[in-house]
Coordinates of all heavy atoms in Angstrom, one line a residue:
M1 N 70.9 91.6 84.5 CA 70.5 90.2 84.2 C 71.0 89.8 82.8 O 71.0 90.7 81.9 CB 69.0 90.0 84.3 CG 68.5 88.6 84.0 SD 66.8 88.4 84.3 CE 66.7 88.5 86.1
T2 N 71.4 88.6 82.6 CA 71.9 88.1 81.3 C 70.8 88.1 80.3 O 69.7 87.7 80.5 CB 72.4 86.7 81.4 OG1 73.2 86.6 82.6 CG2 73.2 86.3 80.2
R3 N 71.1 88.6 79.1 CA 70.2 88.5 78.0 C 70.6 87.4 77.1 O 71.7 87.0 77.0 CB 70.3 89.8 77.1 CG 69.6 91.0 77.8 CD 69.7 92.2 76.8 NE 71.0 92.4 76.2 CZ 71.2 92.6 74.9 NH1 70.2 92.7 74.1 NH2 72.5 92.8 74.5
L4 N 69.5 86.8 76.5 CA 69.8 85.8 75.5 C 69.9 86.4 74.1 O 69.0 87.1 73.7 CB 68.6 84.8 75.5 CG 68.7 83.6 74.5 CD1 69.9 82.7 74.9 CD2 67.4 82.8 74.5
E5 N 71.0 86.2 73.5 CA 71.3 86.9 72.2 C 70.8 86.0 71.0 O 70.4 86.5 70.0 CB 72.8 87.1 72.0 CG 73.4 88.1 73.0 CD 73.1 89.6 72.5 OE1 73.0 89.8 71.3 OE2 73.1 90.5 73.4
H6 N 71.0 84.7 71.2 CA 70.7 83.8 70.1 C 70.4 82.4 70.5 O 71.0 81.9 71.5 CB 71.9 83.8 69.1 CG 71.7 83.1 67.9 ND1 70.8 83.6 66.9 CD2 72.1 81.9 67.4 CE1 70.8 82.7 65.9 NE2 71.6 81.7 66.2
A7 N 69.5 81.8 69.9 CA 69.2 80.4 70.2 C 69.0 79.7 68.9 O 68.4 80.2 67.9 CB 67.9 80.3 71.0
A8 N 69.4 78.4 68.8 CA 69.3 77.6 67.6 C 69.4 76.2 67.9 O 70.2 75.8 68.8 CB 70.3 78.0 66.5
V9 N 68.6 75.3 67.3 CA 68.8 73.9 67.4 C 69.8 73.5 66.4 O 69.7 73.7 65.2 CB 67.5 73.1 67.2 CG1 67.7 71.6 67.2 CG2 66.5 73.5 68.3
I10 N 70.9 72.9 66.8 CA 71.9 72.4 65.9 C 72.1 70.9 66.2 O 72.5 70.5 67.2 CB 73.3 73.1 66.2 CG1 73.1 74.6 66.0 CG2 74.3 72.5 65.3 CD1 74.3 75.4 66.3
G11 N 71.6 70.1 65.2 CA 71.6 68.7 65.4 C 70.8 68.3 66.6 O 69.6 68.6 66.6
S12 N 71.3 67.6 67.5 CA 70.5 67.2 68.7 C 70.8 68.0 69.9 O 70.6 67.6 71.0 CB 70.8 65.7 69.0 OG 72.2 65.6 69.3
E13 N 71.3 69.3 69.7 CA 71.6 70.2 70.8 C 70.9 71.5 70.6 O 70.7 72.0 69.4 CB 73.1 70.4 70.9 CG 73.9 69.2 71.3 CD 75.3 69.5 71.5 OE1 75.9 70.2 70.7 OE2 75.9 68.9 72.5
L14 N 70.6 72.2 71.7 CA 70.2 73.5 71.7 C 71.4 74.4 72.0 O 72.0 74.3 73.0 CB 69.1 73.8 72.7 CG 68.5 75.2 72.8 CD1 67.8 75.6 71.5 CD2 67.6 75.3 74.0
A15 N 71.7 75.3 71.0 CA 72.8 76.2 71.2 C 72.3 77.6 71.6 O 71.3 78.1 71.1 CB 73.6 76.4 69.9
L16 N 72.9 78.1 72.7 CA 72.4 79.4 73.2 C 73.6 80.3 73.4 O 74.7 79.9 73.8 CB 71.8 79.2 74.6 CG 70.5 78.3 74.6 CD1 70.1 78.1 76.1 CD2 69.4 78.9 73.9
R17 N 73.4 81.6 73.0 CA 74.5 82.6 73.3 C 73.9 83.7 74.1 O 72.8 84.2 73.7 CB 75.1 83.1 71.9 CG 76.3 83.9 72.2 CD 77.0 84.4 70.9 NE 76.3 85.4 70.3 CZ 75.7 85.3 69.1 NH1 75.9 84.2 68.4 NH2 75.0 86.3 68.5
F18 N 74.6 84.0 75.1 CA 74.1 85.1 76.0 C 74.8 86.4 75.8 O 75.8 86.4 75.1 CB 74.2 84.6 77.5 CG 73.3 83.4 77.8 CD1 73.8 82.1 77.8 CD2 72.0 83.6 78.1 CE1 73.0 81.1 78.1 CE2 71.2 82.6 78.4 CZ 71.7 81.3 78.4
G19 N 74.2 87.4 76.4 CA 74.8 88.8 76.2 C 76.2 89.0 76.7 O 76.9 89.9 76.2
D20 N 76.6 88.1 77.6 CA 78.0 88.2 78.0 C 79.0 87.3 77.2 O 80.1 87.0 77.6 CB 78.1 87.8 79.5 CG 77.6 86.5 79.8 OD1 77.2 85.8 78.8 OD2 77.5 86.1 81.0
D21 N 78.4 86.9 76.0 CA 79.2 86.1 75.1 C 79.4 84.7 75.5 O 80.1 83.9 74.8 CB 80.6 86.7 74.8 CG 80.5 87.8 73.7 OD1 79.4 87.9 73.0 OD2 81.4 88.7 73.6
E22 N 78.8 84.3 76.6 CA 78.9 82.9 76.9 C 78.0 82.1 76.0 O 76.9 82.4 75.7 CB 78.4 82.6 78.4 CG 78.5 81.1 78.7 CD 78.2 80.8 80.2 OE1 78.1 81.7 81.0 OE2 78.1 79.6 80.5
E23 N 78.6 81.0 75.5 CA 77.9 80.1 74.6 C 77.7 78.7 75.3 O 78.7 78.2 75.8 CB 78.6 79.9 73.3 CG 78.4 81.0 72.3 CD 78.9 80.7 70.9 OE1 80.0 80.1 70.8 OE2 78.3 80.9 69.9
I24 N 76.5 78.2 75.2 CA 76.4 76.8 75.8 C 75.6 76.0 74.8 O 74.9 76.4 74.0 CB 75.6 76.8 77.1 CG1 74.2 77.5 77.0 CG2 76.4 77.6 78.2 CD1 73.4 77.4 78.3
Y25 N 75.9 74.7 74.9 CA 75.2 73.7 74.0 C 74.6 72.6 74.9 O 75.3 72.0 75.7 CB 76.3 73.0 73.1 CG 76.9 74.0 72.2 CD1 78.0 74.7 72.6 CD2 76.3 74.3 70.9 CE1 78.6 75.7 71.7 CE2 76.9 75.2 70.1 CZ 78.0 75.9 70.5 OH 78.6 76.8 69.6
L26 N 73.3 72.4 74.8 CA 72.6 71.5 75.7 C 72.0 70.4 74.9 O 71.1 70.7 74.0 CB 71.5 72.3 76.5 CG 72.1 73.4 77.4 CD1 71.0 74.3 77.8 CD2 72.7 72.7 78.7
P27 N 72.3 69.2 75.1 CA 71.7 68.0 74.4 C 70.2 68.1 74.7 O 69.7 68.2 75.8 CB 72.3 66.8 75.0 CG 73.6 67.3 75.7 CD 73.4 68.7 76.1
L28 N 69.4 67.9 73.6 CA 67.9 68.0 73.8 C 67.4 66.9 74.7 O 66.5 67.2 75.5 CB 67.3 67.8 72.4 CG 67.6 69.0 71.4 CD1 66.9 68.7 70.1 CD2 67.1 70.3 72.0
E29 N 68.0 65.7 74.7 CA 67.5 64.7 75.6 C 67.7 65.1 77.1 O 66.8 64.9 77.9 CB 68.2 63.4 75.3 CG 67.6 62.2 76.0 CD 68.2 60.9 75.6 OE1 68.6 60.7 74.4 OE2 68.2 59.9 76.4
M30 N 68.8 65.6 77.4 CA 69.1 66.0 78.7 C 68.2 67.2 79.1 O 67.6 67.2 80.2 CB 70.6 66.5 78.8 CG 71.0 67.0 80.2 SD 70.9 68.7 80.3 CE 72.6 69.1 80.2
L31 N 67.9 68.1 78.2 CA 67.0 69.2 78.4 C 65.6 68.8 78.8 O 65.0 69.3 79.7 CB 66.9 70.1 77.2 CG 67.8 71.3 77.1 CD1 67.4 72.1 75.8 CD2 67.6 72.3 78.3
R32 N 65.2 67.8 78.0 CA 63.8 67.3 78.3 C 63.7 66.6 79.6 O 62.8 66.8 80.4 CB 63.3 66.4 77.2 CG 62.0 65.7 77.4 CD 60.9 66.8 77.6 NE 59.7 66.2 78.1 CZ 58.7 65.7 77.3 NH1 58.8 65.8 76.0 NH2 57.6 65.2 77.8
R33 N 64.7 65.8 79.9 CA 64.7 65.1 81.2 C 64.8 66.1 82.4 O 64.3 65.9 83.5 CB 65.9 64.2 81.3 CG 65.7 62.9 80.5 CD 66.9 62.0 80.7 NE 66.9 60.9 79.7 CZ 66.0 59.9 79.7 NH1 65.1 59.8 80.6 NH2 66.0 59.0 78.7
A34 N 65.4 67.3 82.1 CA 65.6 68.3 83.2 C 64.4 69.3 83.2 O 64.5 70.3 83.8 CB 66.9 69.1 83.0
C35 N 63.3 69.0 82.4 CA 62.2 69.9 82.3 C 61.8 70.3 83.8 O 61.5 69.4 84.6 CB 61.0 69.2 81.6 SG 59.6 70.3 81.6
P36 N 61.7 71.6 84.0 CA 61.5 72.1 85.4 C 60.0 72.1 85.8 O 59.7 72.5 86.9 CB 62.1 73.5 85.4 CG 62.0 73.9 84.0 CD 62.1 72.7 83.1
C37 N 59.1 71.7 84.9 CA 57.7 71.9 85.3 C 57.3 70.9 86.4 O 57.9 69.9 86.6 CB 56.8 71.7 84.0 SG 56.3 70.0 83.6
A38 N 56.2 71.2 87.0 CA 55.7 70.5 88.2 C 55.4 69.0 87.8 O 55.6 68.1 88.6 CB 54.5 71.1 88.8
A39 N 54.9 68.8 86.6 CA 54.5 67.5 86.2 C 55.8 66.6 86.0 O 55.7 65.4 86.3 CB 53.8 67.5 84.8
C40 N 56.9 67.2 85.7 CA 58.1 66.4 85.5 C 58.9 66.3 86.8 O 59.5 65.3 87.0 CB 59.0 67.1 84.4 SG 58.3 66.9 82.7
Q41 N 59.0 67.4 87.5 CA 59.9 67.4 88.7 C 59.2 67.3 90.0 O 59.8 67.1 91.0 CB 60.7 68.7 88.7 CG 61.5 68.9 87.4 CD 62.5 67.8 87.2 OE1 63.1 67.2 88.1 NE2 62.8 67.5 85.9
G42 N 57.8 67.3 90.0 CA 57.1 67.2 91.2 C 56.9 68.4 92.0 O 57.7 69.4 91.8
E43 N 55.9 68.5 92.8 CA 55.7 69.6 93.7 C 55.8 69.2 95.1 O 55.4 68.1 95.5 CB 54.2 70.1 93.4 CG 54.1 70.9 92.2 CD 52.7 71.4 92.0 OE1 51.8 70.6 91.8 OE2 52.5 72.7 92.1
P44 N 56.3 70.1 96.0 CA 56.4 69.7 97.4 C 55.0 69.5 98.0 O 54.1 70.2 97.7 CB 57.1 70.9 98.0 CG 57.5 71.8 96.9 CD 56.8 71.4 95.7
D45 N 54.9 68.5 98.8 CA 53.6 68.3 99.5 C 53.6 69.2 100.7 O 54.5 70.1 100.9 CB 53.4 66.8 99.9 CG 54.4 66.3 100.9 OD1 55.1 67.2 101.5 OD2 54.5 65.1 101.1
A46 N 52.5 69.1 101.6 CA 52.4 70.0 102.7 C 53.6 70.0 103.7 O 53.8 70.9 104.4 CB 51.1 69.6 103.5
L47 N 54.3 68.9 103.7 CA 55.5 68.8 104.6 C 56.8 69.1 103.9 O 57.8 69.0 104.4 CB 55.6 67.3 105.1 CG 54.4 66.9 105.9 CD1 54.5 65.4 106.3 CD2 54.2 67.8 107.2
G48 N 56.6 69.6 102.6 CA 57.8 70.0 101.9 C 58.6 68.9 101.2 O 59.6 69.1 100.6
R49 N 58.0 67.7 101.3 CA 58.7 66.6 100.6 C 58.3 66.6 99.1 O 57.2 66.9 98.8 CB 58.2 65.2 101.2 CG 58.6 65.0 102.6 CD 58.0 63.7 103.1 NE 56.5 63.8 103.0 CZ 55.7 63.2 103.8 NH1 56.2 62.3 104.8 NH2 54.4 63.3 103.7
V50 N 59.3 66.4 98.3 CA 59.0 66.3 96.9 C 59.2 64.9 96.4 O 60.2 64.3 96.5 CB 60.0 67.2 96.1 CG1 59.7 67.1 94.6 CG2 59.9 68.6 96.5
L51 N 58.0 64.3 95.9 CA 58.1 63.0 95.3 C 58.3 63.2 93.8 O 57.4 63.8 93.2 CB 56.8 62.3 95.6 CG 56.6 61.8 97.0 CD1 55.3 61.1 97.2 CD2 57.7 60.9 97.5
R52 N 59.4 62.7 93.3 CA 59.6 62.9 91.9 C 58.7 62.0 91.1 O 58.8 60.7 91.2 CB 61.1 62.6 91.6 CG 61.6 63.5 90.6 CD 63.0 63.1 90.1 NE 63.1 63.2 88.7 CZ 63.9 63.9 88.0 NH1 64.8 64.6 88.7 NH2 63.9 64.0 86.7
P53 N 57.9 62.5 90.3 CA 57.0 61.7 89.4 C 57.8 61.0 88.3 O 58.9 61.4 88.0 CB 56.0 62.6 88.9 CG 56.7 64.0 88.9 CD 57.7 63.9 90.0
V54 N 57.2 60.0 87.8 CA 57.8 59.4 86.6 C 57.5 60.3 85.4 O 56.3 60.6 85.2 CB 57.2 57.9 86.4 CG1 57.8 57.3 85.1 CG2 57.6 57.1 87.5
Q55 N 58.5 60.7 84.7 CA 58.3 61.6 83.6 C 57.6 60.8 82.4 O 58.0 59.7 82.1 CB 59.6 62.1 83.1 CG 59.9 63.5 83.7 CD 61.2 64.0 83.2 OE1 62.3 63.4 83.3 NE2 61.2 65.2 82.6
K56 N 56.6 61.4 81.9 CA 56.0 60.9 80.7 C 56.6 61.6 79.5 O 56.4 62.7 79.2 CB 54.5 61.1 80.7 CG 53.7 60.3 81.8 CD 52.2 60.5 81.7 CE 51.5 59.8 82.8 NZ 51.7 60.4 84.1
I57 N 57.4 60.8 78.7 CA 58.0 61.4 77.6 C 57.6 60.6 76.3 O 57.8 59.4 76.3 CB 59.6 61.4 77.7 CG1 59.9 62.2 79.0 CG2 60.2 61.9 76.5 CD1 61.4 62.3 79.3
G58 N 56.9 61.2 75.4 CA 56.4 60.6 74.2 C 57.5 60.2 73.2 O 58.7 60.5 73.4
A59 N 57.0 59.5 72.2 CA 58.0 59.0 71.1 C 58.8 60.1 70.6 O 60.0 59.9 70.3 CB 57.2 58.3 70.0
R60 N 58.2 61.3 70.4 CA 59.0 62.4 69.8 C 59.4 63.4 70.9 O 59.6 64.6 70.6 CB 58.2 63.1 68.7 CG 58.0 62.1 67.5 CD 57.0 62.7 66.5 NE 57.6 63.9 65.8 CZ 56.9 64.9 65.3 NH1 55.6 64.9 65.4 NH2 57.6 65.9 64.7
G61 N 59.4 63.0 72.1 CA 59.6 63.8 73.2 C 61.0 64.5 73.3 O 61.1 65.5 74.1
Y62 N 61.9 64.1 72.5 CA 63.3 64.7 72.6 C 63.5 65.6 71.3 O 64.6 66.1 71.1 CB 64.4 63.7 72.6 CG 64.3 62.8 73.9 CD1 64.2 61.4 73.8 CD2 64.3 63.4 75.1 CE1 64.1 60.7 74.9 CE2 64.2 62.6 76.3 CZ 64.1 61.3 76.2 OH 64.0 60.5 77.3
E63 N 62.3 65.8 70.6 CA 62.4 66.7 69.4 C 61.8 68.0 69.8 O 60.7 68.1 70.2 CB 61.6 66.0 68.3 CG 61.8 66.6 67.0 CD 60.8 65.9 66.0 OE1 60.7 64.6 66.0 OE2 60.3 66.6 65.1
L64 N 62.7 69.1 69.6 CA 62.2 70.4 70.0 C 61.6 71.1 68.8 O 62.3 71.3 67.8 CB 63.4 71.2 70.5 CG 63.1 72.6 71.1 CD1 62.2 72.4 72.3 CD2 64.5 73.2 71.6
L65 N 60.3 71.4 68.9 CA 59.6 72.1 67.8 C 59.9 73.5 67.7 O 60.2 74.1 66.7 CB 58.1 71.9 68.0 CG 57.5 70.5 67.7 CD1 56.0 70.6 67.8 CD2 57.9 70.0 66.4
R66 N 59.8 74.2 68.9 CA 60.1 75.6 68.9 C 60.3 76.1 70.3 O 60.1 75.3 71.3 CB 59.0 76.4 68.3 CG 57.6 76.3 69.0 CD 56.5 76.8 68.1 NE 55.2 76.7 68.9 CZ 54.7 77.6 69.7 NH1 55.3 78.8 69.8 NH2 53.6 77.4 70.3
Y67 N 60.7 77.3 70.5 CA 60.9 77.9 71.8 C 60.5 79.3 71.8 O 60.5 80.0 70.7 CB 62.4 77.7 72.2 CG 63.4 78.0 71.1 CD1 63.8 79.3 70.8 CD2 63.8 76.9 70.3 CE1 64.6 79.5 69.7 CE2 64.7 77.2 69.3 CZ 65.1 78.4 68.9 OH 65.9 78.7 67.9
E68 N 60.1 79.8 73.0 CA 59.7 81.2 73.0 C 60.3 81.8 74.2 O 60.3 81.2 75.3 CB 58.1 81.2 73.2 CG 57.4 81.8 72.1 CD 55.9 81.5 72.2 OE1 55.3 81.8 73.3 OE2 55.3 81.0 71.3
A69 N 60.7 83.1 74.1 CA 61.3 83.8 75.2 C 60.2 84.2 76.1 O 59.1 84.5 75.7 CB 62.0 85.0 74.7
V70 N 60.4 84.1 77.4 CA 59.4 84.4 78.4 C 60.0 85.5 79.3 O 61.0 85.3 80.0 CB 59.1 83.2 79.3 CG1 58.1 83.6 80.4 CG2 58.5 82.1 78.5
G71 N 59.4 86.7 79.2 CA 59.7 87.8 80.1 C 61.2 88.1 80.2 O 61.6 88.7 81.2
G72 N 62.0 87.8 79.2 CA 63.3 88.2 79.1 C 64.3 87.5 80.1 O 65.4 87.9 80.3
Y73 N 63.8 86.4 80.7 CA 64.6 85.7 81.7 C 64.5 84.2 81.5 O 65.3 83.5 82.2 CB 64.2 86.1 83.1 CG 62.8 85.4 83.5 CD1 62.8 84.2 84.2 CD2 61.6 86.1 83.2 CE1 61.6 83.6 84.5 CE2 60.4 85.5 83.5 CZ 60.4 84.3 84.2 OH 59.2 83.7 84.5
A74 N 63.7 83.8 80.6 CA 63.5 82.3 80.5 C 63.1 81.9 79.0 O 62.7 82.8 78.2 CB 62.5 81.8 81.5
L75 N 63.2 80.6 78.8 CA 62.7 80.1 77.5 C 61.7 79.0 77.8 O 61.8 78.2 78.7 CB 63.9 79.4 76.8 CG 64.8 80.1 75.9 CD1 65.7 79.1 75.2 CD2 64.0 80.9 74.8
Q76 N 60.6 79.1 77.1 CA 59.6 78.0 77.1 C 59.9 77.1 76.0 O 60.0 77.6 74.8 CB 58.2 78.6 77.1 CG 57.1 77.5 77.2 CD 55.7 78.1 77.2 OE1 55.5 79.3 77.1 NE2 54.7 77.3 77.4
L77 N 60.0 75.8 76.2 CA 60.3 74.9 75.2 C 59.1 74.0 74.8 O 58.4 73.6 75.7 CB 61.5 73.9 75.6 CG 62.8 74.6 76.1 CD1 63.8 73.6 76.4 CD2 63.3 75.6 75.0
F78 N 58.9 73.9 73.5 CA 57.7 73.2 73.0 C 58.2 71.9 72.3 O 58.9 71.9 71.3 CB 57.0 74.0 72.0 CG 56.4 75.3 72.6 CD1 57.1 76.4 72.8 CD2 55.0 75.3 72.9 CE1 56.5 77.5 73.4 CE2 54.4 76.4 73.5 CZ 55.2 77.5 73.7
W79 N 57.9 70.8 73.0 CA 58.4 69.5 72.5 C 57.4 68.8 71.5 O 56.2 69.1 71.6 CB 58.7 68.6 73.7 CG 59.7 69.1 74.6 CD1 59.5 69.8 75.8 CD2 61.1 69.1 74.5 NE1 60.7 70.2 76.3 CE2 61.7 69.8 75.6 CE3 62.0 68.6 73.5 CZ2 63.1 70.0 75.7 CZ3 63.4 68.7 73.7 CH2 63.9 69.4 74.8
A80 N 57.9 68.0 70.7 CA 57.1 67.4 69.6 C 56.0 66.4 70.1 O 55.1 66.0 69.4 CB 57.9 66.7 68.5
D81 N 56.1 66.0 71.4 CA 55.1 65.1 71.9 C 54.0 65.9 72.6 O 53.1 65.4 73.3 CB 55.7 64.1 72.9 CG 56.3 64.7 74.1 OD1 56.4 65.9 74.2 OD2 56.6 64.0 75.1
G82 N 54.0 67.3 72.5 CA 53.0 68.1 73.0 C 53.3 68.7 74.3 O 52.5 69.6 74.8
H83 N 54.4 68.4 75.0 CA 54.7 68.9 76.3 C 55.3 70.3 76.1 O 56.3 70.5 75.4 CB 55.7 67.9 77.0 CG 55.9 68.2 78.4 ND1 54.9 68.1 79.3 CD2 56.9 68.7 79.1 CE1 55.3 68.4 80.5 NE2 56.5 68.8 80.4
S84 N 54.8 71.3 76.9 CA 55.3 72.6 76.8 C 55.2 73.4 78.0 O 55.2 74.7 78.0 CB 54.6 73.3 75.6 OG 53.3 73.5 75.9
T85 N 55.1 72.8 79.2 CA 54.8 73.6 80.4 C 56.1 73.9 81.1 O 56.1 74.6 82.1 CB 53.9 72.8 81.4 OG1 54.3 71.4 81.4 CG2 52.5 72.9 81.0
G86 N 57.3 73.5 80.5 CA 58.5 73.8 81.2 C 59.0 75.2 80.8 O 59.2 75.5 79.7
I87 N 59.2 76.0 81.9 CA 59.8 77.3 81.7 C 61.3 77.2 82.2 O 61.5 77.1 83.4 CB 59.1 78.4 82.5 CG1 57.6 78.4 82.2 CG2 59.7 79.8 82.2 CD1 57.2 78.9 80.8
Y88 N 62.2 77.3 81.3 CA 63.6 77.2 81.7 C 64.3 78.5 81.8 O 64.4 79.3 80.8 CB 64.4 76.4 80.6 CG 64.0 75.0 80.3 CD1 62.7 74.7 79.8 CD2 64.8 73.9 80.6 CE1 62.3 73.4 79.5 CE2 64.5 72.6 80.3 CZ 63.2 72.4 79.7 OH 62.9 71.1 79.5
T89 N 64.6 78.9 83.1 CA 65.2 80.3 83.2 C 66.6 80.2 82.6 O 67.2 79.1 82.6 CB 65.3 80.7 84.7 OG1 66.2 79.8 85.4 CG2 63.9 80.7 85.3
F90 N 67.1 81.3 82.2 CA 68.5 81.4 81.7 C 69.5 80.8 82.7 O 70.4 80.1 82.4 CB 68.9 82.8 81.3 CG 68.0 83.3 80.2 CD1 67.9 84.7 80.0 CD2 67.2 82.5 79.3 CE1 67.1 85.2 79.0 CE2 66.4 83.0 78.3 CZ 66.3 84.4 78.1
D91 N 69.2 81.2 84.0 CA 70.1 80.7 85.0 C 70.1 79.2 85.1 O 71.2 78.6 85.3 CB 69.5 81.2 86.4 CG 70.5 81.9 87.2 OD1 71.3 82.7 86.6 OD2 70.6 81.6 88.4
Y92 N 68.9 78.6 85.0 CA 68.8 77.2 85.1 C 69.5 76.5 83.9 O 70.3 75.6 84.1 CB 67.3 76.8 85.1 CG 67.0 75.3 85.2 CD1 67.4 74.6 86.3 CD2 66.3 74.7 84.2 CE1 67.2 73.2 86.4 CE2 66.0 73.3 84.3 CZ 66.4 72.6 85.4 OH 66.1 71.3 85.5
L93 N 69.4 77.1 82.7 CA 70.0 76.6 81.5 C 71.5 76.6 81.7 O 72.2 75.7 81.3 CB 69.6 77.4 80.3 CG 68.1 77.2 79.9 CD1 67.7 78.2 78.9 CD2 67.9 75.8 79.3
R94 N 72.0 77.7 82.2 CA 73.5 77.8 82.4 C 74.0 76.9 83.4 O 75.1 76.3 83.3 CB 73.8 79.3 82.7 CG 73.6 80.2 81.5 CD 73.6 81.7 81.9 NE 75.0 82.1 82.2 CZ 75.5 83.2 81.6 NH1 74.9 83.9 80.7 NH2 76.7 83.5 81.9
R95 N 73.2 76.6 84.4 CA 73.6 75.6 85.4 C 73.6 74.2 84.8 O 74.5 73.4 85.1 CB 72.7 75.7 86.7 CG 73.3 76.7 87.7 CD 72.5 76.7 89.0 NE 71.2 77.2 88.8 CZ 70.1 76.6 89.3 NH1 70.2 75.5 90.0 NH2 68.9 77.1 89.1
L96 N 72.6 73.9 84.0 CA 72.6 72.6 83.3 C 73.8 72.4 82.5 O 74.3 71.3 82.4 CB 71.3 72.5 82.4 CG 70.0 72.3 83.1 CD1 68.9 72.3 82.0 CD2 69.9 71.0 83.9
A97 N 74.3 73.4 81.9 CA 75.4 73.3 81.0 C 76.7 73.0 81.8 O 77.7 72.5 81.2 CB 75.7 74.6 80.2
L98 N 76.7 73.2 83.1 CA 77.9 73.0 83.9 C 77.9 71.5 84.4 O 78.9 71.1 85.0 CB 77.9 73.9 85.1 CG 78.0 75.4 84.8 CD1 77.9 76.2 86.0 CD2 79.3 75.7 84.0
L99 N 76.7 70.8 84.3 CA 76.7 69.4 84.8 C 77.7 68.6 84.0 O 77.8 68.8 82.8 CB 75.3 68.9 84.7 CG 74.2 69.6 85.5 CD1 72.8 69.0 85.3 CD2 74.6 69.5 87.0
P100 N 78.3 67.6 84.6 CA 79.2 66.7 83.9 C 78.5 65.9 82.9 O 77.3 65.6 83.0 CB 79.8 65.9 85.0 CG 78.9 66.0 86.2 CD 78.2 67.3 86.0
Ligands
LIG201 ZN1 57.8 69.1 82.1

């Protein structure tokens, strides 16, 4: 599994370097909108349908206060509007970086 070697906020982007030397830069606004937590992305109902909720993003919601490694496979991001339930797996982050 890929290890995260380094993480830093540079301007309005989160820069990540992984153990295989891949470097990615993710705009903070895009990261917040892509927050994978249930409150942001919705949970499937009994029939498996996912209704996407309207994301509540506060005034400082695109400001990243800090991040914490989770179990060696993910980052938990702490946003300045108090939102911090999103656990971004390294895999997910790398896929986000491939989006146009
Ligand atoms: Zn969220």
Side-chain angles (χ1 to χ4, degrees):
M1 182 173 289
T2 313
R3 284 185 314 135
L4 180 65
E5 293 278 333
H6 186 71
V9 175
I10 300 174
S12 60
E13 293 186 317
L14 178 65
L16 301 171
R17 191 175 72 242
F18 293 97
D20 55 5
D21 279 342
E22 181 175 349
E23 278 190 319
I24 59 174
Y25 299 86
L26 297 162
L28 295 178
E29 186 172 334
M30 180 265 258
L31 263 184
R32 174 59 190 268
R33 289 183 190 284
C35 177
C37 85
C40 291
Q41 303 300 330
E43 282 181 293
D45 65 15
L47 298 175
R49 293 173 301 206
V50 178
L51 289 178
R52 215 188 137 121
V54 176
Q55 267 181 302
K56 293 186 182 69
I57 299 180
R60 296 174 66 208
Y62 300 123
E63 194 182 318
L64 187 59
L65 288 184
R66 63 192 180 92
Y67 38 85
E68 243 170 54
V70 177
Y73 72 94
L75 275 185
Q76 182 175 4
L77 303 185
F78 296 79
W79 301 97
D81 66 348
H83 192 69
S84 64
T85 41
I87 308 286
Y88 297 67
T89 66
F90 298 159
D91 230 48
Y92 182 59
L93 291 165
R94 290 167 75 126
R95 273 188 289 133
L96 286 178
L98 298 176
L99 295 178

